[in-house]
Amino acid sequence: MDRIKFLLLNPTSPLRRATPDAGPRSPRVFRFCMLSSLYVAASAPSYVETRIVDEDVEPIDFQAEADIIGISFMTYNAPRAYEIAERFRAERGKTVILGGYHPSLMPEEAIQHADSVCVGDAEPSLPRMMEDFAAGHLKPFYRSELIPLSGLPRPRRDLLRAQDYAPLDAIQATRGCGRRCSFCSVAAFHRSRLRVRPVAEVIDELRSLGRNILFMDDSLTGDHEYAKGLLAAMIPLGKTWFSQAGIDITEDGELLRLASRSGCRGLFVGFESLAEASLRRWRKSTNIGKDYREAVRRLHQAGIAVYAGFVFGGDDDT
């Protein structure tokens, strides 16, 4: 089969966008969502030559040589993604495929700006999309079920220039979340399911990475027993790591100790609201009745910094 040149784009806000004149807005970008694109690239068949362009660090060349354009994005970047898609289609006659959170949750909207939309996990769909593209029979939608996470291909970290990014290696041990919070795109995308990778596979990948680790998981400690097994296995590796976790990590002393001993130095914690009525309306059951000050105190005692997340504008907020 002839080689296919696949240009995978990650649009970003104009506040941070690299331009041909100014270059990157900052010398070391903390990019929170690139890992998904590295998994997309890893799932491409061997005859596909993938190049990734991240607008945080490199401007998009609309004259680039490519057979098919892929754009991965979340809702806040949808207008920019559609602008890029329309330019490649109108000016270059290129085939454009869209994927990521926003196209998966709004596929009928997304297809108005593209030739095909990947709905859900890319690993099972991208090979079929490439085969159909090569055969001239690309379908408008490719939908995948929630795949098991054992045996995932290693993310194509070689496709990024490490010097452009903060000195952290990103990894995922889990995908999704078992909660049903009504405001959360993670719950919607993953159908309120938490999927886990085999601990041995995560540890093996961690051994190949540097000391500073960012777990991209939305709910790394969502399954306490799984998390305990993973963190215990991490202790001998001597890593320093950061991630997201629910407030309930502070109610499990063993889990909190293992997080600290395995090198956790910071967690994003979704507190969401100080109004209990808002928490109930949003089905954020894990936070109802919790003492936030005490939770933060316990995390700090364990040597873990807190990045607090809040949702403003609920009907019950004062």
Side-chain angles (χ1 to χ4, degrees):
M1 184 176 291
D2 293 337
R3 293 195 67 78
I4 294 175
K5 291 186 177 182
F6 179 37
L7 181 61
L8 182 56
L9 306 175
N10 286 265
T12 195
S13 161
L15 297 175
R16 303 206 317 258
R17 191 176 304 154
T19 63
D21 297 329
R25 294 300 179 113
S26 61
R28 305 280 278 183
V29 174
F30 179 74
R31 190 72 150 95
F32 194 65
C33 59
M34 287 301 292
L35 188 63
S36 58
S37 292
L38 305 188
Y39 269 117
V40 171
S43 68
S46 59
Y47 56 84
V48 175
E49 179 184 318
T50 304
R51 181 181 171 220
I52 294 177
V53 173
D54 172 13
E55 273 202 300
D56 264 332
V57 300
E58 182 181 359
I60 293 173
D61 177 7
F62 287 92
Q63 301 303 313
E65 288 299 319
D67 300 304
I68 186 168
I69 310 297
I71 310 176
S72 177
F73 58 99
M74 293 188 286
T75 297
Y76 77 105
N77 278 332
R80 175 58 174 167
Y82 294 152
E83 175 191 349
I84 294 167
E86 297 292 0
R87 280 195 63 180
F88 271 109
R89 296 175 85 202
E91 297 176 13
R92 301 288 309 284
K94 296 296 183 181
T95 297
V96 173
I97 61 176
L98 303 180
Y101 267 68
H102 189 81
S104 292
L105 297 173
M106 302 290 289
E108 298 295 340
E109 174 193 285
I111 196 61
Q112 304 303 313
H113 307 273
D115 299 281
S116 186
V117 176
C118 176
V119 179
D121 290 329
E123 286 91 349
S125 294
L126 188 70
R128 292 188 288 124
M129 298 176 87
M130 291 299 173
E131 290 171 12
D132 290 350
F133 170 74
H137 301 299
L138 188 67
K139 301 179 183 68
F141 299 103
Y142 291 78
R143 303 176 190 273
S144 68
E145 295 301 316
L146 297 176
I147 62 171
L149 302 187
S150 58
L152 286 177
R154 288 284 179 91
R156 289 286 308 275
R157 297 183 176 88
D158 60 295
L159 296 179
L160 296 184
R161 299 179 303 187
Q163 67 269 23
D164 291 334
Y165 297 89
L168 288 166
D169 284 317
I171 189 173
Q172 256 188 344
T174 70
R175 289 184 186 178
C177 178
R179 308 296 179 186
R180 297 181 180 275
C181 304
S182 63
F183 58 79
C184 186
S185 61
V186 174
F189 185 95
H190 296 279
R191 306 173 203 172
S192 295
R193 280 182 52 191
L194 177 69
R195 291 172 287 163
V196 302
R197 293 177 65 194
V199 168
E201 292 184 17
V202 179
I203 295 299
D204 185 54
E205 186 174 348
L206 282 168
R207 289 196 179 102
S208 71
L209 304 179
R211 180 179 178 182
N212 298 316
I213 301 296
L214 174 66
F215 278 98
M216 291 284 296
D217 307 53
D218 292 292
S219 186
L220 181 63
T221 60
D223 180 333
H224 284 208
E225 294 311 308
Y226 172 81
K228 289 174 184 177
L230 172 64
L231 299 181
M234 283 178 58
I235 291 172
L237 302 182
K239 304 290 186 180
T240 296
W241 62 272
F242 308 86
S243 190
Q244 302 184 77
I247 194 173
D248 55 333
I249 188 178
T250 65
E251 299 168 343
D252 187 326
E254 180 186 5
L255 180 57
L256 191 57
R257 286 191 295 274
L258 286 169
S260 181
R261 289 184 60 201
S262 62
C264 181
R265 296 297 176 263
L267 289 174
F268 177 96
V269 179
F271 294 100
E272 320 308 5
S273 179
L274 302 178
E276 190 160 300
S278 292
L279 298 176
R280 292 186 184 280
R281 182 186 294 270
W282 297 333
R283 299 199 297 269
K284 186 73 176 185
S285 57
T286 52
N287 288 34
I288 294 173
K290 298 300 189 296
D291 184 337
Y292 288 173
R293 290 178 184 272
E294 176 61 18
V296 172
R297 186 188 68 80
R298 291 177 184 177
L299 287 164
H300 285 175
Q301 279 190 328
I304 298 172
V306 177
Y307 189 151
F310 290 90
V311 179
F312 288 109
D315 293 342
D316 298 293
D317 289 347
T318 64

